[in-house]
Amino acid sequence: MSSATPPTDLWLERSRLNGMLLGGISYGIYFLLTIQSFIALYRTPQHLSDNSKQKQVAMLGYVAITFILATIGFAGNAKYTQMIWIDLRNAPGGPAALIDLELDYWINRMALASYYIMEWFMEVLLLYRCFVIWVWRIYIIIPMTTLFLASVAMAILVLTESNGAVFYNINVQLAYLCIAVGMNIIYTVLVVGRLLAVRKQIKEALGPEHSESYTSIVAMLVESAALYSVLGVIYIASFSLHSNVSNLVFLSISHVQGIAQLLIILRVARGRAYSQNVASRSGAMTSLAFASVHLPNMQSSADSSTDQDTTREHKKTDAQSVTAQQAINEV
């Protein structure tokens, strides 16, 4: 008896199904971080300035919009996964043909467009954080903004060419991936380099214990979104080789980028992100530290110690009350 099952590529099917499972896991993590971000932002003090409230609302809006876009994209991918092996399993060519010709169906084009728009929002936040860390230097703003506009243009071209095309055969998609991931890698290098330079300045001026808060290895990785950059390089290599490994990455890479961005949001809301104040003050710290050596000693050591203890307690209390507001203001 001959089998009615059409010839198929089992590795292609397995990679697509496993990619959907990884996409579900990454979406679940993204969902939990979205909830945490909302809670952290709502827990900020109520006595904020009007400017701080506007920025807080903007951050909440950003989290909500990107989550909605990710949900639309994930729902579209989940629905098409059902169509591949259940609804359209008897289609000509079987599941393998449905996977290769996925852009023939509007639901996949909708999911692709949702993820592209989501990535645009996330890249804007990425650029903003980079500009803050580099204190809005013009030689950083111009090239990074140019890369962002180029990635938007490439994404639009991919969407216009996607109807009825095989995804791997869209050459513009490879160009888009190279630009988008390249921008993230450049961002990673810029941020890590800046943090290392500031850490050195703070260490020399105030000692190593004062540089740990903003410049630990974990802070560098979170701020630079290195996880997405590494995953992006894997995706580019597998996509250019038409390898099925790309199916393992494609359905979760946007979620991973969102996870990296939400980690930044959480650090900002909790007052632990690298801020423009740290960047602008770092250059003055060394001068201030060395200048303080030449100050005359006008009081006895006992009086000075008492005053320092009292001042330290006041500063500690004041710092705790304004940490959250500073975090909102700096974003």
Side-chain angles (χ1 to χ4, degrees):
M1 180 183 296
S2 62
S3 174
T5 302
T8 186
D9 183 350
L10 292 180
W11 168 223
L12 173 64
E13 292 189 38
R14 292 188 185 112
S15 64
R16 177 59 173 76
L17 181 59
N18 291 331
M20 189 66 234
L21 294 176
L22 292 175
I25 294 172
S26 59
Y27 177 80
I29 297 173
Y30 179 72
F31 174 75
L32 292 176
L33 287 176
T34 298
I35 295 176
Q36 291 181 9
S37 297
F38 272 115
I39 293 174
L41 290 171
Y42 272 119
R43 282 181 176 175
T44 53
Q46 300 300 318
H47 52 281
L48 298 175
S49 64
D50 292 339
N51 187 37
S52 298
K53 289 180 180 179
Q54 292 176 358
K55 291 180 178 180
Q56 184 184 21
V57 171
M59 292 175 69
L60 288 169
Y62 164 85
V63 174
I65 290 172
T66 51
F67 175 73
I68 291 171
L69 291 169
T71 301
I72 294 173
F74 178 72
N77 289 330
K79 174 61 178 176
Y80 190 68
T81 301
Q82 172 186 310
M83 293 168 62
I84 291 174
W85 283 283
I86 300 176
D87 300 342
L88 302 176
R89 59 184 173 183
N90 294 324
L98 293 173
I99 295 172
D100 286 335
L101 302 176
E102 59 184 356
L103 294 180
D104 286 352
Y105 299 85
W106 69 268
I107 195 169
N108 290 313
R109 297 194 296 272
M110 176 199 69
L112 187 63
S114 297
Y115 280 129
Y116 278 154
I117 298 172
M118 173 189 174
E119 289 175 3
W120 296 344
F121 277 96
M122 292 188 293
E123 286 171 355
V124 168
L125 176 62
L126 203 73
L127 290 177
Y128 180 81
R129 293 298 299 162
C130 182
F131 297 160
V132 167
I133 290 174
W134 278 90
V135 203
W136 299 93
R137 304 287 173 81
I138 191 67
Y139 56 81
I140 298 295
I141 294 176
I142 292 177
M144 294 299 288
T145 303
T146 302
L147 286 175
F148 168 69
L149 295 177
S151 69
V152 171
M154 292 297 104
I156 293 174
L157 287 176
V158 171
L159 292 175
T160 57
E161 297 180 8
S162 63
N163 191 8
V166 177
F167 192 57
Y168 287 117
N169 294 337
I170 303 178
N171 295 327
V172 182
Q173 170 66 13
L174 183 60
Y176 165 77
L177 290 174
C178 292
I179 294 174
V181 176
M183 186 175 69
N184 276 271
I185 293 176
I186 294 173
Y187 167 83
T188 301
V189 173
L190 288 174
V191 170
V192 171
R194 180 66 172 172
L195 292 177
L196 287 174
V198 172
R199 181 181 64 178
K200 181 179 179 181
Q201 293 178 348
I202 295 177
K203 211 177 194 183
E204 292 175 350
L206 302 176
E209 66 277 4
H210 294 281
S211 64
E212 294 177 356
S213 176
Y214 293 110
T215 56
S216 64
I217 298 299
V218 174
M220 289 182 191
L221 293 178
V222 171
E223 293 280 11
S224 61
L227 179 60
Y228 171 76
S229 298
V230 172
L231 198 63
V233 171
I234 296 174
Y235 185 40
I236 287 177
S238 59
F239 185 91
S240 61
L241 296 174
H242 289 199
S243 170
N244 292 333
V245 174
S246 63
N247 291 324
L248 299 173
V249 180
F250 175 61
L251 300 179
S252 59
I253 189 169
S254 294
H255 301 156
V256 171
Q257 186 179 12
I259 289 169
Q261 301 288 17
L262 288 179
L263 289 174
I264 295 176
I265 291 287
L266 283 171
R267 288 173 59 81
V268 171
R270 293 169 180 172
R272 291 200 305 249
Y274 183 94
S275 66
Q276 186 172 0
N277 286 347
V278 175
S280 61
R281 290 198 305 261
S282 61
M285 282 182 177
T286 304
S287 300
L288 179 61
F290 286 106
S292 64
V293 176
H294 302 288
L295 293 177
N297 186 8
M298 301 299 295
Q299 297 178 346
S300 65
S301 59
D303 292 340
S304 177
S305 178
T306 302
D307 292 341
Q308 289 176 359
D309 291 340
T310 303
T311 303
R312 190 180 299 112
E313 291 299 325
H314 285 301
K315 288 182 176 180
K316 181 178 180 181
T317 303
D318 294 340
Q320 291 174 346
S321 64
V322 300
T323 298
Q325 180 169 357
Q326 286 179 340
I328 297 297
N329 287 335
E330 289 156 359
V331 176

